[in-house]
Structures are given as C-alpha cells and as structure tokens.
C-alpha cells in the first residue's frame, strides 16, 4: 500500500507504511509468522487496532476471522486501547492470602478504574493475573516489566508515580 497513514473511527492513526515494514521486511509476508506479526503490531500500537488487522488479513490472504480468532485466543493480545503502563496484579493463592485484594482496591481507588480498565489519560491499564511466578514476594504487582513485591496498599501511590 502506498498511502502513508489514515485515521480511523477509533481515532487511531494507522501507519500503513510501517505495517508494510513489519509484514514484508521483518516477517517476509510469511503466514507462519502471524503471531510474531501480531506481537509487533501490538508493540507499535499497544493493542491490535481493527484496521491494522483488516490490512494484515489482506496482505497475508488470511481470513479476518482467523486473525481475530488468534488475537482473542491469547490473553497477551488486546483488541482495546491500553495504557502506556500495564499494571498486572497477581491474584494467585499466595498473593491473595498476603493482601493482593487490598492492594488491588488501592490501585482501583487511586486510579479511579476497575480491573481491566484504562485511565482516561491512557497512562495505566489494570489487569488481574492468576500468577506472576513470584509467590514468595506476595503480594506482587508488575508494572510493564518491573516487579514490585511485598507491596503494601500505602506504597501504591508512590510506586505508580514512578511511571509516566
């Protein structure tokens, strides 16, 4: 596609030249690389915009329904815009017993969002996860790639302020 970019109903600006770069150059238009292509698109937009998936469907000659199926099968993919900082709070047994619910309530109260929500300024998205794998540090929150263990509700605001 030779157009540079277009803005869609969602307000998202889609850069088709960049999509071509991902699909053609980075992954050689190989259908076998679908998941890696989706990961690259999500890294670029922080979610999978529908216009980008429709374009990918055309470029790879894969039915949109198949791309949608893969995009919704893996919990790592999001079809909704997400915040710049993803907060994952562990709700596994060890974290639950050590106060994860109180930490989650403090995050929800501080950011004025519920689990699965994104702040209006697109700064944070809050997601509960079953286990982060740091049971001995519970309760644990992960913000982007940073782990915060033994987190107490009164420490939440200070930790969140570290992320723009």
């Amino acid at each position: 596609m030779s157009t540079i970019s277009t803005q869609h109903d969602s307000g998202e600006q889609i850069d088709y030249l960049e999509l071509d770069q991902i699909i053609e150059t980075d992954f050689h238009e190989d259908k076998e690389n679908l998941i890696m292509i989706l990961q690259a698109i999500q890294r670029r937009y922080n979610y999978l915009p529908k216009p980008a998936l429709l374009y990918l469907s055309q470029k790879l000659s894969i039915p949109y329904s198949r791309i949608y199926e893969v995009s919704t099968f893996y919990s790592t993919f999001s079809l909704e815009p997400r915040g710049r900082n993803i907060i994952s709070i562990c709700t596994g047994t060890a974290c639950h017993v050590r106060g994860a619910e109180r930490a989650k309530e403090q995050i929800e109260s501080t950011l004025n969002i519920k689990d699965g929500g994104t702040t209006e300024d697109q700064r944070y998205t809050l997601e509960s996860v079953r286990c982060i794998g740091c049971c001995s540090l519970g309760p644990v929150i992960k913000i982007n790639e940073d782990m915060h263990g033994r987190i107490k509700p009164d420490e939440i605001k200070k930790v969140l302020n570290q992320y723009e």
Side-chain angles (χ1 to χ4, degrees), residues 111-162:
L111 300 178
N112 197 26
I113 58 173
K114 292 290 181 192
D115 189 15
T118 299
T119 56
E120 285 184 25
D121 63 0
Q122 302 288 311
R123 186 172 174 189
Y124 302 103
T125 293
L126 174 62
E127 301 172 340
S128 291
V129 295
R130 289 281 179 211
C131 185
I132 292 179
C134 303
C135 299
S136 65
L137 298 176
V140 175
I141 63 171
K142 179 178 159 198
I143 302 177
N144 304 325
E145 298 303 318
D146 302 331
M147 298 293 216
H148 301 275
R150 297 188 180 108
I151 191 88
K152 295 181 175 64
D154 61 349
E155 299 170 338
I156 297 290
K157 196 176 272 185
K158 182 179 176 186
V159 169
L160 293 176
N161 285 335
Q162 297 173 23

Side-chain angles (χ1 to χ4, degrees), residues 65-103:
S65 60
R66 176 71 181 138
I67 292 174
Y68 182 83
E69 178 182 40
V70 171
S71 301
T72 56
F73 179 80
Y74 295 101
S75 62
T76 188
F77 293 127
S78 176
L79 298 178
E80 299 294 324
R82 300 168 72 193
R84 294 185 302 278
N85 301 293
I86 308 299
I87 305 166
S88 301
I89 183 160
C90 182
T91 59
T93 303
C95 287
H96 176 77
V97 169
R98 294 180 176 140
E101 189 61 32
R102 287 188 303 276

Side-chain angles (χ1 to χ4, degrees), residues 17-60:
L17 291 176
E18 190 172 11
L19 287 179
D20 284 341
Q21 169 77 27
I22 292 169
I23 297 166
E24 296 170 5
T25 307
D26 298 348
F27 296 101
H28 314 292
E29 297 186 65
D30 186 348
K31 296 176 184 179
E32 297 297 317
N33 292 326
L34 177 60
I35 291 175
M36 290 186 288
I37 294 170
L38 291 172
Q39 289 172 328
I41 293 171
Q42 182 156 295
R43 267 192 306 277
R44 166 58 180 87
Y45 294 98
N46 215 14
Y47 78 108
L48 298 173
K50 185 175 181 179
L53 299 183
L54 290 169
Y55 185 70
L56 178 62
S57 171
Q58 290 177 339
K59 290 289 287 188
L60 296 181

